[in-house]
mmCIF file of all heavy atoms in Angstrom:
data_model
loop_
_atom_site.group_PDB
_atom_site.id
_atom_site.type_symbol
_atom_site.label_atom_id
_atom_site.label_comp_id
_atom_site.label_asym_id
_atom_site.label_seq_id
_atom_site.Cartn_x
_atom_site.Cartn_y
_atom_site.Cartn_z
ATOM 1 N N THR A 404 48.923 13.152 12.859
ATOM 2 C CA THR A 404 49.006 12.646 11.488
ATOM 3 C C THR A 404 49.659 13.701 10.619
ATOM 4 O O THR A 404 49.229 14.864 10.607
ATOM 5 C CB THR A 404 47.610 12.317 10.934
ATOM 6 O OG1 THR A 404 46.988 11.337 11.754
ATOM 7 C CG2 THR A 404 47.706 11.790 9.512
ATOM 8 N N ARG A 405 50.674 13.293 9.889
ATOM 9 C CA ARG A 405 51.317 14.177 8.908
ATOM 10 C C ARG A 405 51.321 13.465 7.565
ATOM 11 O O ARG A 405 51.823 12.343 7.454
ATOM 12 C CB ARG A 405 52.728 14.551 9.344
ATOM 13 C CG ARG A 405 52.750 15.516 10.528
ATOM 14 C CD ARG A 405 54.159 15.951 10.884
ATOM 15 N NE ARG A 405 54.138 16.967 11.934
ATOM 16 C CZ ARG A 405 54.084 16.707 13.228
ATOM 17 N NH1 ARG A 405 54.037 15.458 13.647
ATOM 18 N NH2 ARG A 405 54.074 17.680 14.120
ATOM 19 N N SER A 406 50.750 14.142 6.580
ATOM 20 C CA SER A 406 50.600 13.546 5.259
ATOM 21 C C SER A 406 51.103 14.521 4.205
ATOM 22 O O SER A 406 50.769 15.709 4.233
ATOM 23 C CB SER A 406 49.129 13.209 5.000
ATOM 24 O OG SER A 406 48.957 12.571 3.763
ATOM 25 N N LEU A 407 51.917 14.020 3.292
ATOM 26 C CA LEU A 407 52.446 14.805 2.179
ATOM 27 C C LEU A 407 52.167 14.050 0.894
ATOM 28 O O LEU A 407 52.436 12.845 0.810
ATOM 29 C CB LEU A 407 53.944 15.043 2.340
ATOM 30 C CG LEU A 407 54.640 15.867 1.250
ATOM 31 C CD1 LEU A 407 54.086 17.293 1.229
ATOM 32 C CD2 LEU A 407 56.148 15.888 1.474
ATOM 33 N N ALA A 408 51.597 14.733 -0.095
ATOM 34 C CA ALA A 408 51.209 14.040 -1.322
ATOM 35 C C ALA A 408 51.500 14.913 -2.537
ATOM 36 O O ALA A 408 51.458 16.148 -2.474
ATOM 37 C CB ALA A 408 49.732 13.667 -1.288
ATOM 38 N N ALA A 409 51.769 14.245 -3.666
ATOM 39 C CA ALA A 409 51.867 14.873 -4.981
ATOM 40 C C ALA A 409 50.917 14.131 -5.909
ATOM 41 O O ALA A 409 50.856 12.896 -5.879
ATOM 42 C CB ALA A 409 53.296 14.806 -5.514
ATOM 43 N N PHE A 410 50.147 14.866 -6.711
ATOM 44 C CA PHE A 410 49.141 14.213 -7.530
ATOM 45 C C PHE A 410 49.044 14.867 -8.903
ATOM 46 O O PHE A 410 49.451 16.023 -9.107
ATOM 47 C CB PHE A 410 47.770 14.252 -6.843
ATOM 48 C CG PHE A 410 47.243 15.638 -6.558
ATOM 49 C CD1 PHE A 410 46.481 16.328 -7.488
ATOM 50 C CD2 PHE A 410 47.515 16.258 -5.341
ATOM 51 C CE1 PHE A 410 45.995 17.594 -7.225
ATOM 52 C CE2 PHE A 410 47.032 17.521 -5.060
ATOM 53 C CZ PHE A 410 46.273 18.200 -6.012
ATOM 54 N N GLY A 411 48.509 14.102 -9.835
ATOM 55 C CA GLY A 411 48.268 14.603 -11.179
ATOM 56 C C GLY A 411 47.126 13.848 -11.821
ATOM 57 O O GLY A 411 46.958 12.641 -11.597
ATOM 58 N N ASN A 412 46.320 14.562 -12.593
ATOM 59 C CA ASN A 412 45.211 13.947 -13.315
ATOM 60 C C ASN A 412 45.194 14.526 -14.727
ATOM 61 O O ASN A 412 45.166 15.747 -14.907
ATOM 62 C CB ASN A 412 43.882 14.224 -12.600
ATOM 63 C CG ASN A 412 42.754 13.389 -13.140
ATOM 64 O OD1 ASN A 412 42.731 12.179 -12.980
ATOM 65 N ND2 ASN A 412 41.796 14.042 -13.788
ATOM 66 N N PHE A 413 45.212 13.648 -15.751
ATOM 67 C CA PHE A 413 45.390 14.080 -17.134
ATOM 68 C C PHE A 413 44.294 13.482 -18.010
ATOM 69 O O PHE A 413 44.020 12.281 -17.949
ATOM 70 C CB PHE A 413 46.755 13.640 -17.666
ATOM 71 C CG PHE A 413 47.912 14.114 -16.842
ATOM 72 C CD1 PHE A 413 48.333 13.389 -15.729
ATOM 73 C CD2 PHE A 413 48.570 15.291 -17.152
ATOM 74 C CE1 PHE A 413 49.402 13.823 -14.957
ATOM 75 C CE2 PHE A 413 49.639 15.734 -16.380
ATOM 76 C CZ PHE A 413 50.054 14.999 -15.279
ATOM 77 N N ASP A 414 43.684 14.307 -18.834
ATOM 78 C CA ASP A 414 42.752 13.861 -19.867
ATOM 79 C C ASP A 414 43.433 14.042 -21.219
ATOM 80 O O ASP A 414 43.845 15.163 -21.579
ATOM 81 C CB ASP A 414 41.456 14.663 -19.832
ATOM 82 C CG ASP A 414 40.489 14.158 -18.788
ATOM 83 O OD1 ASP A 414 40.681 13.026 -18.310
ATOM 84 O OD2 ASP A 414 39.545 14.886 -18.442
ATOM 85 N N VAL A 415 43.539 12.949 -21.990
ATOM 86 C CA VAL A 415 44.155 12.982 -23.309
ATOM 87 C C VAL A 415 43.076 12.641 -24.331
ATOM 88 O O VAL A 415 42.525 11.532 -24.320
ATOM 89 C CB VAL A 415 45.321 11.980 -23.416
ATOM 90 C CG1 VAL A 415 45.983 12.096 -24.784
ATOM 91 C CG2 VAL A 415 46.333 12.211 -22.295
#
Side-chain angles (χ1 to χ4, degrees):
T404 301
R405 288 184 175 85
S406 183
L407 181 64
F410 60 89
N412 192 68
F413 304 85
D414 278 344
V415 183

